[in-house]
């Protein structure tokens, strides 16, 4: 984590403007896109700081949607799937629209109700190279595709796999 510059102070939290929602380090947030009509960006808050004028900045680590990655969206990517990237940035805290939750893949598949602010992540993504970690994921049955939590899975009569 970067050191705080002179004239700035680290904050433990930030209250989203116009709400009573409090953002803390490690929280995932929805950040307003500069392009109207585009969905908000998703980021994890790494640091919160204020300058001498009390302008609050957040240091974030971006999540990418499949369509924002090299290779694009694939059939097995879930609608709510994100990739944790190695892309860090500093943004005005005023661009935070709300909070969200980015679940592990396993926890996401166990949710009874998926809300609008629920997402999942099963890959880390290197923005410069397009490389993923892990670079392989389990595949299923004859289709040999990774599990997409948005698709109904049925048990194969032949191999008994799902």
């Amino acid at each position: 984590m970067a050191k705080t510059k002179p004239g700035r102070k680290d904050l433990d939290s930030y209250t989203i403007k116009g709400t009573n929602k409090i953002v803390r380090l490690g929280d995932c947030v929805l950040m307003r896109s500069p392009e109207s009509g585009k969905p908000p960006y998703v980021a994890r808050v790494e640091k919160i700081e204020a300058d001498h004028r009390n302008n609050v900045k957040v240091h974030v680590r971006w999540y990418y949607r499949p369509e924002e990655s090299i290779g694009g969206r694939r059939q097995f990517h879930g609608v709510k799937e994100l990739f944790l990237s190695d892309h860090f940035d500093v943004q005005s805290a005023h661009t935070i629209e709300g909070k969200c939750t980015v679940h592990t893949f396993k926890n996401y598949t166990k949710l009874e109700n998926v809300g609008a602010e629920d997402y999942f992540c099963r890959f880390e993504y290197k923005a410069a190279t397009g490389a993923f970690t892990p670079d392989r994921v389990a595949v299923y049955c004859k289709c040999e595709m990774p599990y997409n939590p948005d698709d109904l899975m049925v048990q194969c009569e032949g191999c008994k796999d799902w």
Side-chain angles (χ1 to χ4, degrees):
M1 188 177 336
K3 288 186 177 179
T4 303
K5 294 181 181 176
R8 296 185 183 193
K9 63 181 177 184
D10 285 347
L11 303 176
D12 294 328
S13 64
Y14 169 77
T15 302
I16 301 172
K17 195 173 182 177
T19 75
N20 60 355
K21 292 184 179 175
I22 297 171
V23 174
R24 292 187 170 77
L25 300 183
D27 285 350
C28 292
V29 293
L30 300 168
M31 301 194 76
R32 185 173 27 265
S33 170
E35 299 173 44
S36 64
K38 281 193 81 174
Y41 294 112
V42 180
R44 186 171 73 197
V45 176
E46 303 286 320
K47 182 177 180 177
I48 306 168
E49 65 181 16
D51 65 16
H52 64 282
R53 292 188 186 136
N54 221 23
N55 294 317
V56 180
K57 300 277 187 189
V58 287
H59 295 241
V60 298
R61 184 174 180 185
W62 294 111
Y63 283 93
Y64 279 45
R65 289 183 170 86
E67 54 272 14
E68 297 164 341
S69 69
I70 296 171
R73 182 172 287 281
R74 307 277 294 276
Q75 181 182 346
F76 65 88
H77 289 137
V79 172
K80 307 295 287 280
E81 186 158 6
L82 301 172
F83 311 139
L84 182 61
S85 78
D86 60 350
H87 178 183
F88 292 84
D89 209 352
V90 179
Q91 297 287 310
S92 168
H94 294 300
T95 61
I96 299 174
E97 290 183 350
K99 291 175 70 171
C100 63
T101 304
V102 180
H103 302 272
T104 64
F105 182 69
K106 185 177 183 179
N107 289 347
Y108 181 84
T109 60
K110 292 179 181 177
L111 292 176
E112 294 208 12
N113 294 310
V114 175
E117 285 83 32
D118 286 312
Y119 297 89
F120 72 92
C121 178
R122 59 179 155 181
F123 298 105
E124 286 197 25
Y125 177 69
K126 292 201 181 310
T129 64
F132 288 94
T133 305
D135 59 358
R136 295 173 193 250
V137 66
V139 296
Y140 295 90
C141 198
K142 291 180 183 177
C143 68
E144 294 191 1
M145 291 295 284
Y147 176 45
N148 180 339
D150 300 323
D151 291 341
L152 175 66
M153 287 192 69
V154 294
Q155 189 176 33
C156 175
E157 301 258 335
C159 67
K160 301 296 183 200
D161 201 355
W162 286 90

